[in-house]
Amino acid sequence: MLKPENPRQLSLRKMRGDDLPAVLKLEASAFSDPWPPEAFSDDIIETAWLLLRDEQIIGYTFAIMVMDECSLINVAIAPSEQQQGYGLFMMRELIFRLYTEQKIRHYYLDVRSSNVAAQRLYSKLGFKQLGIRKSYYHKPPEDAIVMGLILPPLNQEARRIDG
Ligand SMILES: CC(C)(COP(=O)(O)OP(=O)(O)OC[C@H]1O[C@@H](n2cnc3c(N)ncnc32)[C@H](O)[C@@H]1OP(=O)(O)O)[C@@H](O)C(=O)NCCC(=O)NCCS
């Protein structure tokens, strides 16, 4: 597998407790129905990954692991930084790490049926539509599209994660 390109010196790291104010701000600016601060428990913070540019948090997501599966939740890039390739970079880099370091092969996520931008991003990563959860979201009420990505067993041969 080839490492994702990183021409802009971006970095990905796990979230710490003192990142919470910046992440809450990003969450509130990126989603119509953001999670309230109390939803960010220590357990959930443990699962969060941040995308940084010049030490500034510009994106984040939760990667919740169950056995050899990963659920990706709250994928977000700061509104002022969207459509510059950061979302694609963050997700590629994260999946690359989980795949190569933890051998995680199965990835799942839910996305609003109207969220074409996110669906395109996930398709570019190789995610396929698996099904629909009726009326899954609130504010506004909407169906969720369930998408999944299953990577081949890891061997020493180089592979890309871009479908
Ligand atoms: C969805 C989101 C994470 C994408 O991040 P981003 O950094 O803007 O995306 P990128 O610039 O890396 O774009 C990657 C691909 O996604 C698609 N895409 C991204 N924004 C798009 C838009 N506004 N319209 C259509 N396609 C879009 C394109 O296919 C793009 O590839 P391309 O530029 O080669 O065409 C970002 O828009 C976001 O945070 N939105 C608000 C929160 C959200 O909806 N999260 C998803 C929850 S499931």
Side-chain angles (χ1 to χ4, degrees), residues 119-138:
Q119 288 164 38
R120 285 198 184 148
L121 163 60
Y122 303 140
S123 296
K124 280 195 131 179
L125 291 162
F127 280 81
K128 307 281 183 230
Q129 181 171 337
L130 301 179
I132 299 220
R133 295 188 214 274
K134 295 299 284 179
S135 307
Y136 182 73
Y137 291 107
H138 308 281

Side-chain angles (χ1 to χ4, degrees), residues 8 26-27 29-32 51 58-60 72-79 81-91 109-112 115-124 137 145:
R8 286 161 289 190
L26 207 166
E27 170 80 11
S29 65
F31 293 101
S32 63
L51 178 66
I58 61 167
Y60 91 98
L72 296 160
I73 297 175
N74 292 26
V75 176
I77 296 294
E81 308 292 344
Q82 289 175 7
Q83 291 188 271
Q84 298 175 61
Y86 294 133
L88 193 60
F89 177 86
M90 177 174 77
M91 298 306 283
L109 51 83
D110 298 306
V111 55
R112 283 183 181 269
N115 194 346
V116 175
Q119 288 164 38
R120 285 198 184 148
L121 163 60
Y122 303 140
S123 296
K124 280 195 131 179
Y137 291 107
I145 295 178

